[in-house]
Amino acid sequence: MNTPSHQAYVPFVSVDNMLKLVLHLGVERVLADLAAEIEADFKRWPLFDKTPRVASHSDVGVIELMPTSDGETYGFKYVNGHPSNMKQGLQTVTAFGLLAEVATGYPVLLSEMTILTALRTAATSAMAAKWLAPAGSTTMALIGNGAQSEFQALGFKAICGISEVRLYDIDPAATAKCAANLAGRGLKVVSCATPEDAILGAQIITTVTADKQYATILTDNMVGAGVHINAVGGDCPGKTELHKDILLRSSIFVEYPEQTRIEGEIQQLAPDHPVIELWQVINGQATGRSDAREITLFDSVGFAVEDFSALRYVRSKLDETGLFTQLDMIADPDDPRDLFGMILRAS
Amino acid sequence: MNTPSHQAYVPFVSVDNMLKLVLHLGVERVLADLAAEIEADFKRWPLFDKTPRVASHSDVGVIELMPTSDGETYGFKYVNGHPSNMKQGLQTVTAFGLLAEVATGYPVLLSEMTILTALRTAATSAMAAKWLAPAGSTTMALIGNGAQSEFQALGFKAICGISEVRLYDIDPAATAKCAANLAGRGLKVVSCATPEDAILGAQIITTVTADKQYATILTDNMVGAGVHINAVGGDCPGKTELHKDILLRSSIFVEYPEQTRIEGEIQQLAPDHPVIELWQVINGQATGRSDAREITLFDSVGFAVEDFSALRYVRSKLDETGLFTQLDMIADPDDPRDLFGMILRAS
């Protein structure tokens, strides 16, 4: 057998090792670290090679590839979205990702990203709210209490200092699950019977529901002045959560307009409706919230740069934690022109 | 710790297991099997979800994602092309690939594809030549004796009945390596000092060189009537192998015109220069070689469907050979809405 060279091995972070990594560092620390990494990459946004995700749609869902590069490192995420999976006991969203060296094209990290995506999504939401939500926000309504909900709650606690979350889901069992998972973590958790109850006194409203359809989780009269809306669940064509009239009253902030106009809440608006790119706020090129009565809306769909930041973060923790294995994934013969000889010598 | 469900594991074929698989089945059998799989998928070509590859270019190379789907199974390949890698002792091309179930988005195979790409490229070339080369071809010139050369030689032996290969490379060491690797495999192998010598008496001319530049491996006066040219090395913008005048005298067959016009030899021609899609020849919708004096040219750049066929073939051999391991890659909590609880229960 050939002994592969160092570069033939790709560090692999399994689900088990990702769970261990999060437990080792602590969920809130990981969320805060990820928010800082994502913010740093948003600051250098123009550097990134950006393209809308490459989607393969079917009747029941979508499979997507989300590539990007900062010129030194290339990354992509594989992610699916299958709302009907839940009925079969499967995850709606599963994902994995890869980093590679631009100079050689050799992969340098393969990682599970189902858990990591949940973390980076919450970190991105909270990081955006840090720039957009009213100063001194303490209370968040959390509408949709599924797989993403606890990550959102803890992200807003760790990054924005939220102390109370008000939960609502059409399925009370989901709310009970979310409340149980959040118990004892330093948040006041209030389970609500209606969305109207959930938004009572909330400065921040997070919507994170999963139906693949035009839904109206929030109607116009539910949203008062001065709130920040973190709209997470509308993330593909045909899937929205907010009534159009709310959008028309809001200052809308997005990740990457080319993608958000297809996938986000703003697919309900004219293609030239003004939006503000979040990176420009972070960079000082645009204004975030400019007045206490303004409704700010982060129309989040998830962008490749956030996954890139998250993968780089995981990579940075490998040596320190040892929470990875080596995958024999790259054929690397002694003489690069002698790939066939590698087969011969393996016999 | 959670015990992941069956679907949380993804079968992984490492480089070591791919080498073992090829040795277990035999290189020529694998090449012939792959050619049959690829031909079968070309026959049902209109079924596939096709898109040009998604490329991230840098000064030194390219990293590409090549997705496709037949509606039941989704597949993609990650592949790089870095001509300068060879100087550092690295592979010019490395690759891995994945299959997933369209119905759920869950991955069902992760495989090394550096070796598999070399095999499928040769299988595709030989399968195309079966339809296009002059009847009774016995001799092939093989210009470029690098990593792909032995696979081409054995593919044409197994699939087209070629009995003599005539080798040429600008580096005689490459020719010596190729000749040594092919010794004792039932082919007459002739090492040549010039490309003119290599094409003497050859009914098939295969060019498979690696420089990322406009090169002229074959000039017009080297190519007589009645040959089949298998142009493999020209496979990205700015990289070609044949003098334009040869193209103008040839009937040109391609995989996917949208991609070949960007990456293939025909990037030298007008964007509306007539080409024939290989799948239509196989399907009976177009004519292949129509006359003994015709020059046929397969302007091969490699298309996602070929990788898909190759991955499906590897998947079909897993149970029989056991040559795979299980990767804990998909987070699959008991309750799909309770991803956070999975972290809690791991502690």
Side-chain angles (χ1 to χ4, degrees), chain B residues 6-19:
Chain B
H6 173 70
Q7 270 164 302
Y9 286 114
V10 180
F12 168 60
V13 179
S14 67
V15 173
D16 188 44
N17 273 327
M18 183 63 75
L19 293 170

Side-chain angles (χ1 to χ4, degrees), chain A residues 50-341:
Chain A
K50 288 174 289 290
T51 171
R53 58 184 105 198
V54 183
S56 176
H57 291 277
S58 68
D59 292 346
V60 292
V62 63
I63 297 176
E64 298 173 329
L65 299 173
M66 300 167 70
T68 191
S69 161
D70 70 358
E72 280 189 19
T73 308
Y74 169 94
F76 82 88
K77 179 166 83 167
Y78 168 102
V79 59
N80 75 300
H82 285 71
S84 62
N85 271 5
M86 211 167 63
K87 292 175 210 131
Q88 307 170 53
L90 301 176
Q91 282 290 112
T92 301
V93 172
T94 70
F96 70 90
L98 181 112
L99 291 179
E101 213 179 60
V102 169
T104 62
Y106 272 50
V108 293
L109 174 71
L110 179 72
S111 176
E112 91 79 34
M113 285 193 81
T114 308
I115 296 161
L116 191 60
T117 296
L119 290 160
R120 76 86 161 126
T121 300
T124 303
S125 287
M127 184 275 283
K130 202 185 73 176
W131 291 89
L132 303 175
S137 295
T138 56
T139 302
M140 176 163 85
L142 187 44
I143 297 176
N145 301 154
Q148 171 63 202
S149 59
E150 297 93 341
F151 298 95
Q152 288 282 335
L154 294 176
F156 278 79
K157 172 174 181 278
I159 294 144
C160 305
I162 287 298
S163 56
E164 177 178 343
V165 287
R166 301 178 64 81
L167 311 183
Y168 172 74
D169 196 289
I170 46 167
D171 179 1
T175 302
K177 178 248 0 170
C178 181
N181 282 339
L182 291 175
R185 297 193 157 263
L187 274 172
K188 180 177 174 196
V189 178
V190 182
S191 299
C192 302
T194 64
E196 287 78 4
D197 187 15
I199 63 176
L200 266 185
Q203 298 88 21
I204 298 172
I205 303 172
T206 288
T207 56
V208 57
T209 61
D211 268 344
K212 189 179 178 174
Q213 61 187 8
Y214 292 107
T216 308
I217 310 301
L218 293 182
T219 56
D220 192 33
N221 61 3
M222 289 166 70
V223 178
V227 303
H228 174 65
I229 303 171
N230 172 41
V232 179
D235 60 359
C236 67
K239 185 178 165 202
T240 59
E241 295 182 312
L242 307 185
H243 192 281
K244 184 181 166 181
D245 289 348
I246 300 174
L247 308 184
L248 296 173
R249 290 162 57 210
S250 303
S251 302
I252 302 173
F253 299 83
V254 303
E255 290 141 314
Y256 183 58
E258 289 82 342
Q259 183 175 305
T260 311
R261 292 198 190 275
I262 297 168
E263 301 174 357
E265 296 298 327
I266 58 171
Q267 64 187 279
Q268 303 180 67
L269 302 182
D272 60 349
H273 188 91
V275 298
I276 302 152
E277 296 185 51
L278 181 62
W279 72 268
Q280 295 191 310
V281 176
I282 293 169
N283 223 351
Q285 294 180 34
T287 304
R289 169 173 293 272
S290 53
D291 132 20
R293 293 191 51 81
E294 186 177 7
I295 300 170
T296 50
L297 166 64
F298 179 44
D299 187 3
S300 171
V301 297
F303 189 63
V305 170
E306 295 149 25
D307 300 308
F308 181 89
S309 313
L311 286 168
R312 282 205 315 157
Y313 175 69
V314 169
R315 189 182 180 204
S316 77
K317 296 297 172 196
L318 295 185
D319 286 346
E320 171 189 336
T321 63
L323 292 170
F324 66 101
T325 51
Q326 296 279 21
L327 280 194
D328 166 26
M329 201 161 95
I330 301 300
D332 190 41
D334 300 336
D335 173 356
R337 288 180 310 189
D338 197 10
L339 192 60
F340 188 81

Side-chain angles (χ1 to χ4, degrees), chain A residues 1-2 7 12 14-16 19 22-23 27 49 54 56 58 60 63 65 67 69 74 76 78 80 82 85-86 88-91 94-96 98 100-107 110 112 114-115 118 146-147 150-151 154 171 173-174 177 181 185 327-333 336-344 346-347, chain B residues 1-2 7 12 14-16 19 22-23 27 49 54 56 58 60 63 65 67 69 74 76 78 80 82 85-86 88-91 94-96 98 100-107 110 112 114-115 118 146-147 150-151 154 171 173-174 177 181 185 327-333 336-344 346-347:
Chain A
M1 214 206 96
N2 303 277
Q7 270 165 301
F12 168 60
S14 67
V15 173
D16 188 45
L19 292 170
V22 173
L23 287 167
V27 180
D49 188 8
V54 183
S56 176
S58 68
V60 292
I63 297 176
L65 299 173
S69 161
Y74 169 94
F76 82 88
Y78 168 102
N80 75 300
H82 285 71
N85 271 5
M86 211 167 63
Q88 307 170 53
L90 301 176
Q91 282 290 112
T94 70
F96 70 90
L98 181 112
E101 213 179 60
V102 169
T104 62
Y106 272 50
L110 179 72
E112 91 79 34
T114 308
I115 296 161
E150 297 93 341
F151 298 95
L154 294 176
D171 179 1
K177 178 248 0 170
N181 282 339
R185 297 193 157 263
L327 280 194
D328 166 26
M329 201 161 95
I330 301 300
D332 190 41
R337 288 180 310 189
D338 197 10
L339 192 60
F340 188 81
M342 195 176 175
I343 299 178
L344 295 183
S347 66
Chain B
M1 212 206 96
N2 303 277
Q7 270 164 302
F12 168 60
S14 67
V15 173
D16 188 44
L19 293 170
V22 174
L23 288 167
V27 180
D49 188 7
V54 183
S56 177
S58 69
V60 292
I63 296 176
L65 299 173
S69 162
Y74 169 93
F76 82 87
Y78 168 102
N80 75 300
H82 285 70
N85 272 5
M86 211 168 64
Q88 307 170 54
L90 301 175
Q91 283 289 114
T94 71
F96 70 90
L98 180 112
E101 212 179 61
V102 168
T104 62
Y106 271 50
L110 179 72
E112 90 80 35
T114 308
I115 296 162
E150 298 92 342
F151 298 95
L154 295 176
D171 179 0
K177 178 248 0 172
N181 282 338
R185 298 193 157 261
L327 278 195
D328 167 26
M329 201 162 95
I330 302 300
D332 190 41
R337 288 180 308 190
D338 197 9
L339 192 60
F340 188 81
M342 195 176 176
I343 299 177
L344 295 183
S347 66

Side-chain angles (χ1 to χ4, degrees), chain B residues 105-165:
Chain B
Y106 271 50
V108 294
L109 174 70
L110 179 72
S111 176
E112 90 80 35
M113 285 193 81
T114 308
I115 296 162
L116 191 59
T117 296
L119 289 160
R120 75 84 161 127
T121 300
T124 304
S125 287
M127 184 273 285
K130 201 184 73 174
W131 291 88
L132 303 175
S137 294
T138 58
T139 303
M140 174 163 84
L142 187 43
I143 299 177
N145 301 153
Q148 171 63 203
S149 59
E150 298 92 342
F151 298 95
Q152 288 282 335
L154 295 176
F156 277 79
K157 171 173 181 279
I159 295 145
C160 305
I162 286 298
S163 57
E164 177 177 342
V165 286

Side-chain angles (χ1 to χ4, degrees), chain B residues 39-106:
Chain B
E39 191 174 77
D41 280 341
F42 270 59
K43 237 177 210 148
R44 59 191 193 116
W45 185 266
L47 263 180
F48 283 90
D49 188 7
K50 288 173 289 289
T51 172
R53 56 185 105 196
V54 183
S56 177
H57 291 277
S58 69
D59 292 346
V60 292
V62 63
I63 296 176
E64 299 172 330
L65 299 173
M66 301 167 69
T68 191
S69 162
D70 70 357
E72 279 190 21
T73 308
Y74 169 93
F76 82 87
K77 179 167 83 168
Y78 168 102
V79 59
N80 75 300
H82 285 70
S84 61
N85 272 5
M86 211 168 64
K87 289 174 212 134
Q88 307 170 54
L90 301 175
Q91 283 289 114
T92 300
V93 172
T94 71
F96 70 90
L98 180 112
L99 291 179
E101 212 179 61
V102 168
T104 62
Y106 271 50

